[in-house]
Amino acid sequence: MIRTTLLWLVGAVLVIGTFWNIHIADSAVAGIEPRGEEDVTVIENKYLPIEFELIRKYPNTKRVGYISALTVKGEPPDDLDNLRFAQLRYVMIPRILVRGVGEQFVIGSFTPGKPVPEAPDNLVQVYDAGTGMILYRQKKTP
Amino acid sequence: MTPRDLIFFTLAIMVAGLIGYLIADRLCPRNYPRWLVWAFAPPTGLGICSLIVFFFRRPLTTVEAMVLAALLFFWFRSHRTSFDGYRIVSSWRVPILAVVFAIGLGWSVGSSVIHVERYPNGLTDGWNIWNSHAKYLAAGGKTWTVDIQNTAHPDYPLLLPGVVVHAWRYIGSNSPDATGFVGILFELSAVGILAATLMKLRSPIVGMLMALVLIGSPEYIHNAASEYADVPLSVFIVSTIALICLYESEESKPVGLIALSGFMAGCAAWTKNEGVPFTLATIAVLLLPVFWSPSATVRRIGGFAAGLSLPLAAIVYFKVTIALPNDLFDNRTSADLIAKISDPSRYLLIFKSYILTGWTFGGWAFNPFLPILAFIGLSGVDRSISRSFSWRGGVAIVAMLQVVYFVIYVITPLELNYHLRSSMDRLLMHVWPACLLLAGMVVRKQALSASP
């Protein structure tokens, strides 16, 4: 009798504990920022005007270079820069994003509202998305 | 996700589920209740559809239609339409625990759906690895094998990207939410397999309680909705061990069950690299009795190998022709390895991390370990289980996998603290449903044998 009572008691504790765990998980989900503020979605929205420009004018472009405020200054990318690069690389698939200025087209990813650093000499601006992302292309060699 | 996308996503999952059911139905004994067969349908179907995507890519819907037609043809030839199995379900008295279980499951899934809505691309591993691979697989043309090398961890196997591409093809676009819903589906599969296997081998109460504990593991649910492949891997691990337990529990030793187990183990290796040592550990455990019962062992391993062959072919083809070397093993020197292996502080650090993370990896506010132990103790321990090959084998597989993970941590080229912090909780997730299954198997059968 005591054993059965204890068994039901332990079962009830397990069930209540599980519901408490679900409540904690549910509360955490409720605190997540709205969909439009999620990092990858933000990057995607910043990039989309450039994608439309590429589709409109240079649809066969597959490989695209990448520069940021840090790399333009010749500094190594930090963790945040690496994260932003990875996020942009993801949203650009099936295009291929690679670091550097060696490709025909290069995307500059900068902080909106801050002055855009001067682009490397071999690049000329093609399109400014107005979102902190700028599309460059190689200067035509004479 | 728009209502239209949701309809086509549902269709994609129904096709995979039906293929999975028809295969599981052919491989499970005829006298098995239908709900048990259905429990194994989603991982089987998703595994098959992933392999179809990998081998056939563009005509995948045609191939799936052909596979489905063939399976339906054989099913109608061998079955008279009967609802006997379901009548048993309808005759169940629904106990209070089943209602509680359904409420918990519904609440958890609802929460996960909101998570997916907020993080449509999943968390870092979701978009950086699995969705990136899926996007190249879906749209990269003939050069996808080269293009995929511009992603993080291009050597990771393609089961999850394959399943995502399967869903995207039905939807007609790369709907990001679909990937999170696939994660939730895998989570539900783990819950279903755990509950159904314990219902069959122990009792409905044990099955539902253990499944409820899994649902109440916030990190597990979080990882599923974030599209981390650790949850699908855990599904294939628990499926493999559950099917070995079911195989061993049948006197006739139906070879179909062990073949399905082999397929699940192969899918584990096709999901993540960690699935490879799991598959090897399973093979070693299944082979071990060859010294005292050779004929039974040959039959067991033969069936297992038959099921394993298809995913194994995909893995070998992928690793040999496409995948780059793994970042943990590439460019390693023997001097570096020896220095790490001979450093006792690394062992101590890993051991400490196992102890600490082992207590917290589920992200619980209420830790279920002690109540589970109390429940097992009060229900009565089935002492015969310690002599059962399937239970001892399951424990050995889980233990061997942890030993492999331990060794990987010892020799990892990454900074050890960072590597432990960033991965150990997820590695423990791999075996969490299997541990709940093995814990449930310890409960004495007669103690809680009430029909649901």
Side-chain angles (χ1 to χ4, degrees):
Chain A
M1 179 64 189
I2 293 172
R3 188 175 155 141
T4 311
T5 310
L6 281 174
L7 187 59
W8 279 105
L9 200 65
V10 169
V13 167
L14 257 179
V15 170
I16 293 166
T18 294
F19 273 71
W20 181 248
N21 285 333
I22 296 173
H23 162 69
I24 295 296
D26 192 38
S27 305
V29 169
I32 300 173
E33 72 263 30
R35 184 182 177 107
E37 293 174 21
E38 185 257 337
D39 256 15
V40 179
T41 310
V42 170
I43 294 288
E44 190 168 30
N45 290 336
K46 282 181 170 184
Y47 166 70
L48 271 178
I50 290 184
E51 174 67 20
F52 296 143
E53 183 71 6
L54 284 171
I55 291 170
R56 197 162 50 236
K57 292 188 179 163
Y58 320 103
N60 293 329
T61 305
K62 182 152 185 179
R63 292 176 70 88
V64 179
Y66 175 87
I67 54 173
S68 64
L70 271 182
T71 56
V72 164
K73 285 189 274 182
E75 292 176 21
D78 58 13
D79 286 349
L80 183 64
D81 194 76
N82 280 328
L83 179 66
R84 296 290 177 249
F85 169 75
Q87 288 167 335
L88 185 58
R89 181 175 65 177
Y90 165 68
V91 301
M92 284 182 68
I93 294 172
R95 297 188 203 281
I96 294 171
L97 186 70
V98 291
R99 281 192 179 277
V101 293
E103 304 299 329
Q104 176 68 14
F105 289 93
V106 175
I107 287 180
S109 176
F110 309 110
T111 311
K114 287 193 176 173
V116 176
E118 204 169 310
D121 292 342
N122 60 324
L123 298 180
V124 58
Q125 183 175 319
V126 175
Y127 178 70
D128 184 346
T131 59
M133 287 199 190
I134 296 174
L135 182 65
Y136 302 95
R137 70 177 298 168
Q138 298 285 339
K139 276 182 186 162
K140 288 196 175 75
T141 46
Chain B
M1 184 181 263
T2 64
R4 178 207 162 274
D5 288 356
L6 189 61
I7 290 168
F8 283 97
F9 174 78
T10 309
L11 179 66
I13 297 309
M14 282 169 63
V15 168
L18 191 56
I19 289 175
Y21 173 77
L22 293 170
I23 291 172
D25 180 63
R26 283 204 79 75
L27 296 175
C28 289
R30 280 291 177 81
N31 61 351
Y32 263 34
R34 296 299 88 191
W35 47 263
L36 184 58
V37 180
W38 271 114
F40 290 100
T44 308
L46 294 173
I48 287 287
C49 287
S50 169
L51 291 168
I52 289 173
V53 168
F54 178 68
F55 283 120
F56 297 95
R57 295 192 61 237
R58 292 203 183 277
L60 75 91
T61 41
T62 312
V63 177
E64 284 174 6
M66 286 163 62
V67 169
L68 198 53
L71 287 168
L72 280 170
F73 173 76
F74 287 116
W75 191 86
F76 279 113
R77 261 174 61 111
S78 57
H79 286 69
R80 280 180 300 131
T81 308
S82 162
F83 294 96
D84 289 349
Y86 302 101
R87 279 199 199 107
I88 296 169
V89 175
S90 64
S91 69
W92 281 358
R93 286 181 298 109
V94 179
I96 187 73
L97 186 58
V99 177
V100 169
F101 176 76
I103 291 170
L105 189 63
W107 187 6
S108 173
V109 170
S111 175
S112 295
V113 169
I114 294 171
H115 186 284
V116 172
E117 197 279 329
R118 302 283 164 87
Y119 284 118
N121 298 288
L123 292 184
T124 311
D125 276 14
W127 55 262
N128 200 23
I129 302 173
W130 311 110
N131 285 353
S132 293
H133 294 179
K135 280 175 117 178
Y136 276 124
L137 201 54
K142 285 180 180 166
T143 59
W144 74 270
T145 54
V146 180
D147 298 345
I148 206 171
Q149 292 173 10
N150 295 290
T151 62
H153 301 294
D155 62 301
Y156 282 12
L158 295 173
L159 183 134
L160 190 53
V163 172
V164 169
V165 173
H166 161 80
W168 282 349
R169 283 298 299 275
Y170 280 78
I171 293 170
S173 67
N174 295 1
S175 168
D177 303 60
T179 61
F181 290 139
V182 165
I184 297 174
L185 192 70
F186 273 110
E187 168 211 324
L188 291 176
S189 299
V191 171
I193 287 161
L194 179 60
T197 308
L198 285 172
M199 280 181 188
K200 167 78 177 163
L201 296 177
R202 284 299 174 266
S203 74
I205 291 174
V206 176
M208 280 189 278
L209 262 185
M210 290 300 169
L212 205 51
V213 171
L214 183 62
I215 296 165
S217 302
E219 276 302 311
Y220 190 79
I221 305 305
H222 175 77
N223 283 344
S226 305
E227 211 214 325
Y228 277 48
D230 305 282
V231 169
L233 177 60
S234 78
V235 173
F236 291 114
I237 288 176
V238 73
S239 303
T240 306
I241 294 174
L243 285 159
I244 291 171
C245 291
L246 289 166
Y247 172 80
E248 292 296 329
S249 72
E250 294 288 324
E251 270 189 33
S252 61
K253 301 282 182 271
V255 74
L257 285 176
I258 203 74
L260 196 54
S261 174
F263 178 75
M264 297 293 189
C267 285
W270 183 230
T271 304
K272 281 199 91 178
N273 287 338
E274 291 92 324
V276 175
F278 164 75
T279 305
L280 293 175
T282 308
I283 291 170
V285 164
L286 293 180
L287 265 177
L288 196 62
V290 76
F291 299 110
W292 55 90
S293 58
S295 62
T297 305
V298 167
R299 181 180 156 81
R300 188 189 293 133
I301 204 72
F304 189 85
L308 180 65
S309 56
L310 188 59
L312 185 65
I315 295 160
V316 170
Y317 178 72
F318 176 70
K319 293 287 180 189
V320 170
T321 61
I322 298 167
L324 293 169
N326 183 277
D327 58 347
L328 294 180
F329 300 104
D330 197 24
N331 295 325
R332 305 299 302 274
T333 62
S334 54
D336 172 43
L337 289 174
I338 289 167
K340 285 187 162 133
I341 289 168
S342 57
D343 181 357
S345 68
R346 294 177 74 82
Y347 293 84
L348 191 63
L349 189 61
I350 299 163
F351 185 71
K352 275 184 184 169
S353 184
Y354 258 104
I355 300 290
L356 289 174
T357 315
W359 186 251
T360 59
F361 69 93
W364 301 285
F366 168 84
N367 193 308
F369 287 166
L370 294 179
I372 289 175
L373 287 176
F375 177 78
I376 292 169
L378 289 165
S379 303
V381 174
D382 180 2
R383 291 181 195 284
S384 69
I385 199 75
S386 63
R387 293 187 296 276
S388 118
F389 170 75
S390 59
W391 190 82
R392 286 195 300 190
V395 172
I397 290 166
V398 169
M400 286 163 77
L401 192 58
Q402 295 312 308
V403 169
V404 173
Y405 289 168
F406 195 102
V407 171
I408 297 292
Y409 278 129
V410 170
I411 62 168
T412 179
L414 305 175
E415 200 278 312
L416 184 55
N417 271 309
Y418 164 77
H419 199 179
L420 288 167
R421 212 173 41 246
S422 63
S423 63
M424 183 170 273
D425 54 347
R426 288 183 291 115
L427 294 193
L428 291 171
M429 286 290 170
H430 296 170
V431 294
W432 178 227
C435 287
L436 287 172
L437 174 74
L438 294 168
M441 293 282 288
V442 175
V443 176
R444 204 168 56 215
K445 209 170 182 177
Q446 298 89 325
L448 294 155
S449 57
S451 174

